[in-house]
Amino acid sequence: MNRRSLSQVHAAAGLIAWCLIASFFIGSLISELSGNPTWIVVVKRTIFYSMWAMVLLVPVAALTGRKLAGKSCNVVVVRKRKRMRWIAPNGLLLLTLGSYLYYKASQGQFDPFFRSAQLVELALGLTNLVLLGLMIRDGYRLKRRYLGQLP
């Protein structure tokens, strides 16, 4: 695969992952604030069935990013590598929480354990949104530099 195609796959995987996480976060926040158990169940079910796309998207973004970066010591590339160390484990926790919250919601168990797990999920989701957003920003900076638009 040539560099341009690799870059497009990398960008698409990263942007789609960010959009999914944003939709999960917004859906969870709105349904929780509404207090409507039916909405909460629908959102948790939707998240549960679509979060598995993240199992594909994040590794694709990571592997293509690693291939594009090569052995670069560029400061921006180094920052992206450091962030990835947090994104992957955070994502695994989010998968676990998403499964747990879907199970609890589908059973109608909106107890303190559900609420606590929901707060943790929102905090981790926001963390991943910020980290992936910074990755996307830095990716655009690298792309502009590679294309000769920046010094």
Side-chain angles (χ1 to χ4, degrees):
M1 185 179 289
N2 65 35
R3 186 170 181 82
R4 184 166 189 244
S5 297
L6 201 61
S7 178
Q8 289 173 337
V9 168
H10 178 69
L15 286 170
I16 293 168
W18 189 90
C19 289
L20 274 175
I21 294 171
S23 67
F24 297 164
F25 181 83
I26 292 167
S28 289
L29 193 60
I30 290 172
S31 69
E32 285 298 321
L33 290 175
S34 79
N36 183 331
T38 304
W39 285 15
I40 295 170
V41 172
V42 168
V43 168
K44 294 302 159 197
R45 181 183 318 119
T46 303
I47 290 171
F48 178 77
Y49 285 113
S50 52
M51 72 182 180
W52 301 103
M54 300 300 289
V55 174
L56 297 173
L57 291 169
V58 173
V60 165
L63 292 172
T64 55
R66 191 172 294 141
K67 178 80 173 167
L68 287 165
K71 295 180 182 181
S72 175
C73 293
N74 180 301
V75 175
V76 177
V77 172
V78 171
R79 275 197 316 243
K80 285 178 67 103
R81 282 188 190 122
K82 285 181 182 178
R83 278 192 214 110
M84 198 60 212
R85 292 181 194 146
W86 290 100
I87 290 170
N90 195 1
L92 291 174
L93 288 171
L94 284 166
L95 287 172
T96 304
L97 284 166
S99 299
Y100 174 76
L101 290 167
Y102 170 58
Y103 171 77
K104 295 284 277 183
S106 66
Q107 302 297 312
Q109 298 175 0
F110 302 106
D111 55 19
F113 294 109
F114 178 89
R115 300 286 178 218
S116 298
Q118 182 59 70
L119 287 174
V120 171
E121 183 195 42
L122 288 169
L124 291 175
L126 184 58
T127 300
N128 259 11
L129 271 177
V130 170
L131 290 172
L132 284 170
L134 292 171
M135 297 285 266
I136 292 167
R137 179 202 65 192
D138 286 348
Y140 280 121
R141 286 181 177 168
L142 287 168
K143 183 178 179 181
R144 287 195 322 243
R145 177 169 286 153
Y146 178 75
L147 294 174
Q149 296 172 353
L150 284 177

